[in-house]
Amino acid sequence: MFQFKKISTKFITLAVIALTIAITLTGTISYFTAKSSIIKKLKTSDLIQIASLKASNIDSRIARAIETSNLLANDPTILRWFSEAETNYLLGELVKQKLDNSITSSEYTYAFAADRNTLNYWKNNSKTSIYLDEANPNNAWFYKTIKTEKKTQININSDSKNDTYVFINVLMGDIKKPIGVAGVSIRFNQVAKEFMTTNPEYDARVWLIDNKGKIKITTDVSNINENIGKYTSMEIERSILSDPSKVSVLEYENEKGIIDIVHVPLEVNDWGVVYEVPRS
């Protein structure tokens, strides 16, 4: 009898120890799982907020330039002068004055209006026009824009000096049969600098991409016009491009471990901000 009680006591003791270990392990695992989940959620929320702020900054600057470009493209005086093949001298003087007055900010490098019929390109602070010879590769933008049937087009270029410019081209008149193109160019250096600023503590990376996944603004100029998938993963690129109009919360893995990455679309066009940070 005594022996039986002894065995029973040992069994109960072992059972209690096993249950205690099981509860402790379960609690520990649950704690770390919950902690990881909360950290990921908070981090993702922060990433979306940061990317949204960067997108908003770009949106506001480009929106003002689009507004100015639309004013020029829809200006009755310019439209009439172009429709009359620039034959009215007084109208021409008014057009030149309007181009000069449209430069309301030091960010603008120039304002222009290009006539499809005469192929004359007029810009502010210029008494004479430039002829848009189709044989000149530098004029390809005009002939390409005319054929797009898209009212407003935005282009970003960065040169070897790390100068970044945004060009707004707006079709004049009927988009299927435009009589010209008008718009502005803005120096985007300060905006690009602010956009590319990240906290080095988090080893973050940021890009502005177009609707085809091509990089338009990044810290390394040599990466311009490369696909975002080259610097993240092709799966990430496909996920973003499957619906570039929505906010995407994604992750992938590289030599740094798991990477949390978000995509936030711009409002002014179908481009977007991609922002990533290693999870660890």
Side-chain angles (χ1 to χ4, degrees):
M1 186 72 177
F2 177 75
Q3 184 68 23
F4 175 74
K5 286 184 178 179
K6 191 174 182 181
I7 293 172
S8 297
T9 303
K10 284 183 178 180
F11 178 77
I12 292 170
T13 302
L14 287 172
V16 170
I17 292 172
L19 183 61
T20 302
I21 292 172
I23 291 172
T24 302
L25 284 173
T26 302
T28 303
I29 292 170
S30 297
Y31 168 76
F32 283 108
T33 301
K35 181 181 179 183
S36 177
S37 178
I38 291 169
I39 290 173
K40 180 183 176 183
K41 188 174 181 181
L42 289 173
K43 201 168 188 180
T44 300
S45 175
D46 287 344
L47 291 183
I48 292 174
Q49 185 176 16
I50 293 170
S52 296
L53 286 172
K54 289 181 178 294
S56 178
N57 191 26
I58 288 181
D59 273 327
S60 63
R61 305 294 180 92
I62 292 180
R64 292 198 297 269
I66 290 176
E67 183 180 359
T68 301
S69 299
N70 275 315
L71 288 173
L72 289 172
N74 298 320
D75 188 282
T77 303
I78 302 176
L79 289 169
R80 181 181 168 187
W81 192 48
F82 280 6
S83 67
E84 295 176 358
E86 304 173 17
T87 55
N88 189 314
Y89 174 79
L90 290 178
L91 282 180
E93 292 303 300
L94 284 174
V95 168
K96 294 171 190 174
Q97 190 175 61
K98 285 177 179 289
L99 290 173
D100 290 345
N101 293 339
S102 65
I103 303 298
T104 57
S105 167
S106 59
E107 288 181 329
Y108 293 169
T109 53
Y110 60 81
F112 74 93
D115 190 332
R116 183 180 190 177
N117 295 317
T118 63
L119 298 181
N120 287 331
Y121 174 93
W122 299 90
K123 72 175 186 177
N124 62 294
N125 297 327
S126 180
K127 298 297 182 183
T128 59
S129 63
I130 299 171
Y131 181 69
L132 295 172
D133 185 356
E134 191 169 4
N136 187 339
N138 291 330
N139 299 328
W141 68 269
F142 174 76
Y143 294 93
K144 182 179 179 181
T145 301
I146 285 292
K147 296 173 183 176
T148 58
E149 296 187 5
K150 187 177 179 182
K151 182 68 175 176
T152 303
Q153 292 152 77
I154 304 169
N155 297 299
I156 295 181
N157 288 335
S158 297
D159 59 26
S160 58
K161 299 178 181 178
N162 286 335
D163 287 327
T164 303
Y165 297 91
V166 173
F167 303 92
I168 312 295
N169 299 324
V170 180
L171 294 178
M172 303 173 68
D174 185 352
I175 61 172
K176 293 186 179 299
K177 203 174 181 180
I179 66 170
V181 181
V184 298
S185 165
I186 54 177
R187 185 177 288 105
F188 224 53
N189 286 7
Q190 186 58 37
V191 180
K193 182 179 179 181
E194 292 168 5
F195 175 82
M196 292 183 288
T197 300
T198 60
N199 190 334
E201 180 183 348
Y202 299 113
D203 195 21
R205 295 195 296 174
V206 62
W207 304 269
L208 178 69
I209 64 170
D210 67 11
N211 62 345
K212 293 178 180 160
K214 292 192 177 297
I215 297 169
K216 293 301 174 184
I217 296 180
T218 186
T219 51
D220 190 341
V221 178
S222 67
N223 297 343
I224 300 294
N225 289 324
E226 296 274 14
N227 283 76
I228 188 66
K230 182 176 178 180
Y231 301 98
T232 55
S233 77
M234 290 309 300
E235 185 179 348
I236 291 294
E237 182 177 313
R238 283 192 293 270
S239 296
I240 291 173
L241 298 184
S242 65
D243 189 356
S245 64
K246 73 173 185 179
V247 174
S248 300
V249 179
L250 306 161
E251 65 180 56
Y252 71 100
E253 197 166 351
N254 63 16
E255 68 279 358
K256 296 179 181 178
I258 298 175
I259 308 296
D260 290 309
I261 184 168
V262 298
H263 168 262
V264 175
L266 298 185
E267 292 183 3
V268 292
N269 66 353
D270 49 8
W271 295 6
V273 174
V274 177
Y275 192 89
E276 71 165 35
V277 172
R279 187 176 298 177
S280 59

